[in-house]
């Protein structure tokens, strides 16, 4: 029984040793991938900040434009009564040719 456990323990040690040796390469690759991801993350943060600034500027422009439109509309006169007068005039005088 002791011999069987020693053999199983030896086989287990060999398997663990193989896994430990093979994991070193993947650990280097993992660290490399982590560095690349950090670089990508920094780039994305920079782009996000830039886009937020642009968005803020665009919102300000839209607000100014909306204010101009509102001001222009408030200064315009209503032409509804003038159109009605013209149509009444046409009905009264132009249709009797």
């Amino acid at each position: 029984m002791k011999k069987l456990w020693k053999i199983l323990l030896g086989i287990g040690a060999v398997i663990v040793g193989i896994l430990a040796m093979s994991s070193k390469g993947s650990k280097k690759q993992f660290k490399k991938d982590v560095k690349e991801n950090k670089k990508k993350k920094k780039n994305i943060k920079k782009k996000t900040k830039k886009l937020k600034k642009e968005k803020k500027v665009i919102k300000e422009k839209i607000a100014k434009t909306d204010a101009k439109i509102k001001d222009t509309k408030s200064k315009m006169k209503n032409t509804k009564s003038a159109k009605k007068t013209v149509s009444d005039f046409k009905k009264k005088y132009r249709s009797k040719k």
Side-chain angles (χ1 to χ4, degrees), residues 17-63:
I18 292 171
L19 290 175
M21 294 299 253
S22 67
S23 69
K24 282 189 177 182
S26 65
K27 191 172 186 180
K28 288 180 184 178
Q29 183 65 32
F30 177 76
K31 286 184 179 181
K32 188 177 180 182
D33 291 342
V34 168
K35 285 183 182 179
E36 288 177 10
N37 287 341
K38 284 183 181 180
K39 287 180 184 178
K40 287 179 184 177
K41 190 176 175 182
K42 285 182 183 179
N43 289 337
I44 290 171
K45 282 185 179 181
K46 286 180 185 178
K47 289 179 183 178
T48 305
K49 285 182 182 179
K50 186 178 178 183
L51 290 175
K52 282 184 180 180
K53 288 179 183 177
E54 289 178 8
K55 185 177 178 182
K56 190 175 181 181
V57 170
I58 290 170
K59 281 189 175 183
E60 290 173 358
K61 286 182 180 179
I62 290 172

